Amino acid sequence: MGRLFDLEDSGYFYTRLANPTVDAVAAQICNLEGGVGAILTASGQAANLFAVINIAGVGDHIIAANNIYGGTFNLLGVTLPKLGIGITFLKAEASDEEIQSAIQPNTKLVFGETISNPGVEVFDIERWAAVAHRNGLPLVIDNTFATPVLCRPFEWGADIVTHSTTKYIDGHGVSVGGALVDSGNFPWDAYPERFPGLTTPDASYHGLTYTKQFGKAAYIVKATTHLMRDLGSIQSPQNAFYLHLGLQTLHLRIKRHSESALQVARWLEKCPDVAWVRYPGLESDPHHALAQKYVPDGCSGVLCFGLKGGRTFDNRFLDALRLTTIETHVADCHTCVLHPASHTHRQLSDEQLRAAGIAPDLIRFSVGLEAPEDIIADLEQALAAAKA
Ligand SMILES: *Cc1c(COP(=O)(O)O)cnc(C)c1O
């Protein structure tokens, strides 16, 4: 037991730090991503929190793309600043020079989403990684929508990957969870002053130094032994068991989600009631070229669109959907829909919505595993009902 507590032996002695079921599933996600180590967290929020505070603290600064998931936007933009971690949000299209000029001496990492939620924009991982690495910074990528089946961010230079496993990896809406995966590629030791938590002795473990003792796995071992020990956000073993079931079919599901979503997007594009459609798999989409590079086998099941009829029409349409359910959840085997202006962001005016980067008419549509003809038929009848 003493050797376990000194991190001299590895083994299981308390589930808050490590559990064999959780580790087995974490290892599968780690293998899919091509990393050196991974941990499962209680939620996607916990994974992104850990990804940042494993290497950033009071007085530090981070950079993130401004099109990221709303929950992460709040975590990084409101809650972490209260803990003393400053942030600069940049457009995902920011030029190399704009990214460069946002980097400060106290900047610790750069953050983006492979396919953003809800705008479904594809992040130029390789370009951002190059600027980050020139400045001695790791790139953290939230790979939730793409999943490692469609994109492996480490192959494009990302250093750390996070997931909300609640979405496609589980896929059936049965377990909230997250994952944090370490590529093992970032040379922490080359920047000892920037990452002292990894490169100098840890007093809470008898002065061991993570990079010395654990080499390529320094980051993920610190996240486990330090953050998991102290903050306690491990995924429950029962949720990891459910996640394991989801993983068995992820490669089949995500392919079907992507094929059906492209079919639905093509139908929406031709529909006279639809003002605009965004799905990176469409040739007309501004992110199509990036999609061909990063997610050539499919762009997941999530798309978004706007209707021409205005907000009352939007609400009549949403209420008339029958197969599709209105849900906060997304990226699930069942088709579901969300209108941020009427649901998650209903306290904001149209002006405030635009300032937050959300078009007031944006409808996020998550294409499930039902027959695509049935999904299209549901859209068709709901539009007809909204017009009646
Ligand atoms: C849902 C989501 C999260 C947060 O995950 P939870 O499991 O709900 O905590 C983070 N990032 C993305 C891209 C998401 O879609």
Side-chain angles (χ1 to χ4, degrees), residues 140-161:
V140 180
I141 292 291
D142 181 331
N143 199 31
T144 297
F145 274 8
T147 82
V149 177
L150 298 178
C151 179
R152 307 208 317 160
F154 295 155
E155 291 174 358
W156 300 104
D159 301 286
I160 305 296
V161 156

Side-chain angles (χ1 to χ4, degrees), residues 41-48 68-72 111 113-118 142-145 162-167 175-178 328-331 364:
T41 53
S43 66
Q45 287 298 104
N48 283 327
I68 56 176
Y69 169 67
T72 316
F111 185 98
E113 285 174 7
T114 313
I115 301 175
S116 67
N117 177 5
D142 181 331
N143 199 31
T144 297
F145 274 8
T162 62
H163 283 281
S164 166
T165 60
T166 317
K167 314 294 167 53
S175 67
V176 176
T328 320
H329 186 43
V330 64
R364 183 185 70 192

Side-chain angles (χ1 to χ4, degrees), residues 260-278:
S260 297
L262 185 58
Q263 223 173 306
V264 172
R266 289 204 203 288
W267 183 84
L268 286 167
E269 209 175 22
K270 291 202 200 88
C271 177
D273 302 309
V274 174
W276 56 271
V277 189
R278 290 290 298 269

